Amino acid sequence: MSKHAQQILQTNNRDGYTIPGAGIYPFQWKWDSGFIALGYSHFDLQKAMSEMETLFDAQWTNGFVPHIIFHSVAERENYFPNADFYHSSLSEDASLNYETTTLTQPPVEGWVLERVFQNAHQQTEIEDFVKKLFPKVMAQHEYLYENRDPFHEGLVYIQHNWESGTDNSPVWDEIWRSFKVPAYDFSRKDTQLVKEEQRPLKREYDYYLYLIDLFKKWHYNDKSIAEKSPFLVQDPLFNSMLVASNKSLIRLGKQFGFSQEVKQLERWNKKSVLSFNEKLFDKEAGMYRHFDLRGGKWLDGLTSSGFAPLFAGIPTHQQMKKMLLALERFSRDGKYFFTPSFDPGNDRFESQRYWRGPVWVNMNWLIIEGLKSYGERDWAHKIKEDTLQMVREQGFFEYFEPDKEKSRKQQFGYGGKQFSWTAALIIDILNDKL
Ligand code: 2M8
């Protein structure tokens, strides 16, 4: 299984970066690259390092790291919305080296850097690599805390659903109802490659595009976006990745002599963890929620992103125990594989449609690692077994049917096949002694 996974990464490897999947995702994606680098670090350190280096080559002058780098000109017409739609040069901070999007994605790079470092087992080039990457990852965190945290809470906002990584999650539904958008006339490429019922709706794309059009009008200026945009959300997954990355940078920083940075990281993290538990933890649900900064309230619906704080060591022991009950509920007494991306008890749950229900390997991996760090090995084991079973039986797909009964009747997973982060994280799981 591990060899097969390695082959998928090799096949999806381009010059210095790896595409998430052929056809549907033909460029470099930010958080995909993080998971992919982790996978490579088990068998090809050079590729792990170049994956991250290439990503940071596209970093903007203000520290922002864009979510897609449109490396291949030939592939431009195969993806929508592409560089022509974003027009990133409208921003005074944009990369001069690459055409990119103007949105970011969860800041996984700090903890990826630490794990790549650990998996390198003191190979000579790794120390220089860490020293080179550390300031770049730090600059990303500075960008986020300085520009995405208007009330200095230690919780940063995302400005677009694509920044969450969980594109069409039902949690955004009520935001979409709060403003009107035109019906855009465009040709979607994704639904030519993947069944329509497994992808977001056209109407949702209208919202996604409209937000970017607003940002263009404001030249992608963060202040204007914070003041005027209808979409400003404190997302538990995004913020967990930031806290986990802070923690990794603190450990690396102590080892590599970045003492000023370590102090700053400790200040940020203290505030972030406090606010997280005060503001985003829903005691009744036993898990973390998305907070709508514009509307001043939690968004409606529970998602697998609400379990991500386990990965960052944010919940107290007591909170973690409550989260186990919530996880149990997500499995509907064993009827569903761990971990559906949306609460299966909610009537907006859809078992095939992308981030509205299916199981994703990267979310499972984060939860497994989180549970391990709390010593909950039995739980971690259950989720690991479900993950391996799905991939073994159905292939290295992008996402999977959570309903066990339905799943038994089908041969394949959903979305893109030979999907890079599924392969990369299976490599990591198989290397784990758990
Ligand atoms: C999905 O997102 C992209 C837009 O960024 C898309 O729908 O085209 C999400 O699953 C996202 O989390 C992921 O990084 C990306 C590439 O795998 O695909």
Side-chain angles (χ1 to χ4, degrees):
M1 199 176 188
S2 193
K3 274 275 162 279
H4 186 185
Q6 289 185 16
Q7 273 159 15
I8 291 175
L9 291 185
Q10 311 278 21
T11 310
N12 289 343
N13 188 272
R14 300 293 178 264
D15 195 12
Y17 69 97
T18 307
I19 58 168
I24 185 156
Y25 305 116
F27 309 105
Q28 182 175 23
W29 261 259
K30 179 182 188 286
W31 78 321
D32 299 62
S33 271
F35 296 121
I36 289 166
L38 173 61
Y40 279 134
S41 69
H42 290 288
F43 66 99
D44 189 337
L45 181 62
Q46 288 308 325
K47 286 219 175 69
M49 294 193 297
S50 50
E51 189 74 34
M52 293 187 81
E53 268 170 351
T54 310
L55 176 69
F56 280 99
D57 274 352
Q59 185 167 32
W60 290 17
T61 54
N62 59 352
F64 174 92
V65 183
H67 99 293
I68 307 176
I69 301 148
F70 296 108
H71 292 286
S72 159
V73 177
E75 290 281 7
R76 296 270 167 94
E77 62 193 51
N78 300 327
Y79 185 82
F80 180 83
N82 60 24
D84 299 334
F85 187 83
Y86 282 94
H87 200 176
S88 58
S89 59
L90 282 171
S91 164
E92 56 184 25
D93 305 308
S95 162
L96 298 176
N97 305 336
Y98 296 99
E99 287 201 89
T100 72
T101 62
T102 53
L103 307 171
T104 189
Q105 264 185 339
V108 297
E109 295 85 350
W111 61 257
V112 170
L113 184 62
E114 188 184 28
R115 285 177 184 242
V116 170
F117 171 67
Q118 288 161 347
N119 291 342
H121 302 298
Q122 290 159 356
Q123 288 178 56
T124 41
E125 57 271 55
I126 195 64
E127 297 209 350
D128 286 344
F129 176 72
V130 173
K131 284 185 208 145
K132 187 170 158 199
L133 265 278
F134 186 101
K136 299 183 185 199
V137 183
M138 183 74 192
Q140 169 177 224
H141 292 207
E142 259 157 20
Y143 161 79
L144 290 170
Y145 282 112
E146 280 169 18
N147 297 285
R148 301 291 192 96
D149 183 14
F151 306 114
H152 310 292
E153 298 174 281
L155 294 174
V156 302
Y157 67 73
I158 54 167
Q159 61 190 25
H160 195 283
N161 57 297
W162 276 334
E163 294 200 322
S164 67
T166 62
D167 297 9
N168 66 335
S169 171
V171 280
W172 322 126
D173 293 354
E174 67 183 286
I175 303 191
W176 304 145
R177 282 197 298 272
S178 75
F179 61 101
K180 291 208 164 24
V181 295
Y184 281 79
D185 183 16
F186 62 95
S187 138
R188 266 174 82 171
K189 312 288 175 191
D190 58 329
T191 43
Q192 293 164 20
L193 296 155
V194 167
K195 286 186 186 152
E196 221 170 309
E197 60 269 27
Q198 296 173 15
R199 292 287 305 175
L201 303 172
K202 150 79 171 69
R203 188 65 190 139
E204 286 169 308
Y205 261 77
D206 290 338
Y207 283 92
Y208 310 166
L209 300 176
Y210 178 75
L211 282 178
I212 299 166
D213 267 342
L214 278 185
F215 303 162
K216 275 192 251 183
K217 255 203 309 211
W218 306 328
H219 288 237
Y220 294 115
N221 178 283
D222 279 309
K223 281 211 175 71
S224 308
I225 294 173
E227 271 165 38
K228 298 184 260 190
S229 173
F231 189 113
L232 288 190
V233 174
Q234 289 166 327
D235 178 304
L237 169 60
F238 193 100
N239 278 283
S240 296
M241 296 303 99
L242 183 59
V243 169
S245 283
N246 282 340
K247 288 188 172 175
S248 289
L249 289 185
I250 290 169
R251 287 187 290 263
L252 289 173
K254 284 184 180 157
Q255 198 168 338
F256 286 89
F258 292 100
S259 49
Q260 285 311 313
E261 288 85 348
V262 167
K263 280 190 201 133
Q264 177 63 73
L265 287 155
E266 285 173 341
R267 278 195 295 273
W268 283 332
N269 233 25
K270 203 166 161 210
K271 204 189 246 185
S272 297
V273 172
L274 265 176
S275 297
F276 229 112
N277 283 332
E278 269 172 21
K279 193 174 183 185
L280 304 188
F281 190 70
D282 177 350
K283 288 197 193 101
E284 221 167 285
M287 57 192 291
Y288 292 82
R289 304 277 297 263
H290 293 73
F291 191 88
D292 172 8
L293 264 189
R294 193 54 84 217
K297 56 175 172 33
W298 283 335
L299 287 172
D300 191 18
L302 303 171
T303 73
S304 58
S305 301
F307 296 113
L310 288 169
F311 182 78
I314 292 167
T316 60
H317 185 78
Q318 210 186 359
Q319 285 171 317
M320 181 273 294
K321 287 287 180 196
K322 286 195 171 163
M323 291 174 83
L324 297 181
L325 298 177
L327 260 176
E328 194 86 67
R329 281 199 303 277
F330 264 55
S331 92
R332 318 274 305 155
D333 290 328
K335 194 169 171 296
Y336 287 90
F337 282 113
F338 290 110
T339 310
S341 43
F342 190 62
D343 177 2
N346 189 308
D347 55 15
R348 287 180 295 145
F349 169 85
E350 289 178 74
S351 77
Q352 295 191 42
R353 203 182 286 286
Y354 215 35
W355 289 96
R356 297 182 79 90
V359 180
W360 290 74
V361 170
N362 65 332
M363 295 307 300
N364 278 8
W365 183 86
L366 290 171
I367 299 169
I368 295 169
E369 290 299 296
L371 291 166
K372 270 165 52 187
S373 72
Y374 281 87
E376 293 292 338
R377 302 191 82 77
D378 289 349
W379 263 98
H381 191 73
K382 271 196 241 183
I383 301 179
K384 174 179 163 176
E385 285 308 306
D386 276 1
T387 310
L388 289 173
Q389 185 185 339
M390 286 177 332
V391 178
R392 210 180 284 122
E393 289 174 2
Q394 305 198 351
F396 288 85
F397 274 82
E398 190 182 0
Y399 41 103
F400 297 86
E401 171 61 50
D403 182 329
K404 286 185 181 166
E405 197 65 23
K406 263 198 202 168
S407 163
R408 265 178 218 125
K409 294 187 194 123
Q410 60 195 44
Q411 212 183 339
F412 301 117
Y414 296 141
K417 6 179 201 277
Q418 314 288 65
F419 191 67
S420 293
W421 83 35
T422 303
L425 295 173
I426 290 296
I427 294 171
D428 191 74
I429 290 177
L430 293 173
N431 268 284
D432 185 29
K433 310 278 171 299
L434 178 74

